[in-house]
């Protein structure tokens, strides 16, 4: 089977055999046209987005369980070589799945899990996608790792390039959170701030990607490979539940890549017999100030009209989401919805997750918890169904969202009397 597909899609010149593991070709999500594995991201027939296709191998639970405690345990289902664990990557993934009992009680849910991706090497889910993009860049002979970023991607690209010993160039909107700017610059990347929003930065990056030879813009010209990294969220959730699927998953939506690939990952687990087939409803979460996909969902549209973002959830502030239509597709097919909450609700829910579970999420986490609470209140999420919510990033990166709202209860002189005076009246 592999031989047949290999003949049909010969590897591009200069790419070693096995460079992409069991991946065999790229396929257009719009028209289904296929092309060989290479630095391609738009269909030659219709300019639609390309996705990685595989000659799926037989994979057993035991094989996966014997692998490294990182996303590389799922190597047979990723476009990376079999020896990927020997390369210098940040080895992301295998983050904790937290049994969120107190939050479940507060929300009236029977069983709630928080998939806490703040535990990744640069504290967001972006390390997963960057690790796979880096492997593709290396195999394709591209020498510079680059990206336009809303913040977390900048951190992940800069760190992954530092660890791999290659050059990185990172483009960010100049008004990004100071924590995210510092947490990128520290890796000695070439950090370039652009006077504009993410969509402006993204457009510029596409122009540069078209001109500069040898650059791998992780979310532009190697995007098909990058996107595959998000499948590992679905793989880990299933494995951590004891090779079972939950009933419903709530996923943050920026470009929509994470949500669509979680859906693809679930499909692959079922197809390969790694989990029992069952319906999983997928829900998308956005901030009202940048909710083009939620608006399209409500209007019953298949296409997403771009918006100008204005929200504290900057990591989700993509006004023109590349995978928007595919999010609508996945959500409608599985029986979910896309919904949004305002910035005040985002802040309340960052505090709620911290207070109930001891997890400090960034604004994106406030969005997913906030949307979860809203959908329960509206009777859309089933409170009796087993639910997983993704926390995709770390609260220390978006301190401004909450720093004015929490702080010391009191400031006292260092004397026991002062403490007892305070305690007797305030305990
Ligand atoms: C990038 C990002 C997402 C989702 O991004 P997609 O573009 O939809 O894949 C979610 N949460 C955080 C914190 C992110 O940085
Ligand atoms: Zn096409």
């Amino acid at each position: 089977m592999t031989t047949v597909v290999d003949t049909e899609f010969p590897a591009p010149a200069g790419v070693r055999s096995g460079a992409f593991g069991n991946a065999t070709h790229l396929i257009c999500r719009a028209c289904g046209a296929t092309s060989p594995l290479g630095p391609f991201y738009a269909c030659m027939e219709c300019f639609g987005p390309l996705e990685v296709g595989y000659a799926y191998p037989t994979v057993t639970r035991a094989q996966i369980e014997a692998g490294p405690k990182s996303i590389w345990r799922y190597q047979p289902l990723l476009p990376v070589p079999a020896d990927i664990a020997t390369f210098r990557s940040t080895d992301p993934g295998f983050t904790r799945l937290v049994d969120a009992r107190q939050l479940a009680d507060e929300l009236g849910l029977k069983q709630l899990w928080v998939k806490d991706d703040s535990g990744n090497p640069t504290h967001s889910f972006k390390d997963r996608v960057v690790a796979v993009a880096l492997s593709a860049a290396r195999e394709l002979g591209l020498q510079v790792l680059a990206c336009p970023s809303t913040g977390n991607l900048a951190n992940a690209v800069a760190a992954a390039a530092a660890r791999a010993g290659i050059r990185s160039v990172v483009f960010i909107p100049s008004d990004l959170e100071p924590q995210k700017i510092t947490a990128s610059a520290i890796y000695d990347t070439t950090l370039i701030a652009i006077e504009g929003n993410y969509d402006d930065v993204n457009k510029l990056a596409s122009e540069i990607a078209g001109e500069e030879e040898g650059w791998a813009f992780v979310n532009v010209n190697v995007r098909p490979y990058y996107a595959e990294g998000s499948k590992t969220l679905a793989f880990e959730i299933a494995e951590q539940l004891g090779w079972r699927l939950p009933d419903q998953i709530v996923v943050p939506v920026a470009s929509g890549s994470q949500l669509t690939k979680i859906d693809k990952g679930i499909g692959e687990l079922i197809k390969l017999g790694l989990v029992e087939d069952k319906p999983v409803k997928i829900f998308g979460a956005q901030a009202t100030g940048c909710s083009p996909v939620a608006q399209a969902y409500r209007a019953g549209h298949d296409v997403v009209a771009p918006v100008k973002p204005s929200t504290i959830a900057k990591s989700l502030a993509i006004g023109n989401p590349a995978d928007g239509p595919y999010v609508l597709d996945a959500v409608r097919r599985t029986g979910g919805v896309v919904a949004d909450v305002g910035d005040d609700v985002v802040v309340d829910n960052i505090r709620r997750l911290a207070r109930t579970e001891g997890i400090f999420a960034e604004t994106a986490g406030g969005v997913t918890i906030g949307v979860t609470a809203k959908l329960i209140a509206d009777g859309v999420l089933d409170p009796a169904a087993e639910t997983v919510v993704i926390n995709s990033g770390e609260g220390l990166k978006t301190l401004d969202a909450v720093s004015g709202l929490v702080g010391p209860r009191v400031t006292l002189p260092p004397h026991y009397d002062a403490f007892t005076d305070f305690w007797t009246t305030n305990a």
Side-chain angles (χ1 to χ4, degrees), residues 124-126 152 252-258 315-316 318 362 364 392-393:
S124 88
F125 111 97
K126 289 297 196 302
N152 285 317
V253 173
S255 74
S257 172
Q258 182 184 141
S315 57
L316 303 182
I318 298 184
E362 76 145 82
S392 48

Side-chain angles (χ1 to χ4, degrees), residues 110-316:
K110 190 154 160 252
Q111 175 73 66
L112 174 65
W113 304 90
V114 175
K115 179 59 173 167
D116 186 14
D117 248 17
S118 67
N120 274 311
T122 70
H123 314 288
S124 88
F125 111 97
K126 289 297 196 302
D127 292 309
R128 297 176 184 274
V129 283
V130 168
V132 179
L134 170 61
S135 174
R138 191 163 37 208
E139 301 296 345
L140 292 166
L142 304 170
Q143 291 110 30
V144 178
L145 204 63
C147 69
S149 172
T150 57
N152 285 317
L153 189 59
N155 298 174
V157 163
R163 173 130 181 95
I166 63 170
R167 173 116 207 239
S168 66
V169 183
V170 163
F171 298 85
I172 53 168
S174 55
D175 70 345
L176 216 54
E177 297 97 337
Q179 293 87 8
K180 283 183 182 162
I181 294 176
T182 306
S184 299
I186 194 69
Y187 300 108
D188 205 18
T189 181
T190 303
L191 186 63
I192 298 177
I194 302 294
E195 293 161 346
N197 63 25
Y198 174 78
D199 297 289
D200 299 323
V201 179
N202 190 32
K203 193 160 159 287
L204 173 65
S206 297
E207 283 171 38
I208 299 170
E211 296 296 328
E212 297 293 327
E213 298 255 323
W215 286 40
F217 276 90
V218 296
N219 51 343
V220 183
N221 58 332
V222 291
R223 186 174 179 86
Y225 308 92
Y226 161 97
E228 291 293 291
S230 286
K231 294 191 309 192
T232 59
L233 271 166
F235 299 159
E236 287 179 19
I237 289 167
E239 184 176 353
Q240 289 169 319
L241 288 176
W243 295 108
R244 265 185 333 107
L245 294 172
D247 300 314
Q248 22 191 41
I249 305 187
V250 187
V251 184
V253 173
S255 74
S257 172
Q258 182 184 141
L259 186 145
T260 53
K261 296 307 176 202
I262 286 176
D263 176 55
K264 183 180 182 187
I266 290 171
E268 290 178 345
L269 290 168
I270 294 170
K271 183 187 169 82
L272 294 170
L274 288 164
V275 296
E276 214 167 280
D277 193 355
K278 67 170 270 203
V280 182
K281 291 185 179 176
I282 304 181
F283 296 82
Q286 297 205 294
T288 304
C290 183
S291 52
V293 190
Q295 288 171 32
Y297 173 83
R298 275 194 294 270
H301 295 161
D302 304 332
V303 291
V304 174
V307 301
K308 213 173 159 57
S310 170
T311 168
I312 57 166
K314 292 186 181 168
S315 57
L316 303 182

Side-chain angles (χ1 to χ4, degrees), residues 46-60:
C46 78
F47 298 106
L50 297 177
E51 174 167 62
V52 177
Y54 296 82
Y56 286 108
T58 310
V59 190
T60 65

Side-chain angles (χ1 to χ4, degrees), residues 28-33 43-48:
C28 173
R29 278 190 290 177
C31 78
C43 175
M44 307 240 252
E45 310 285 331
C46 78
F47 298 106

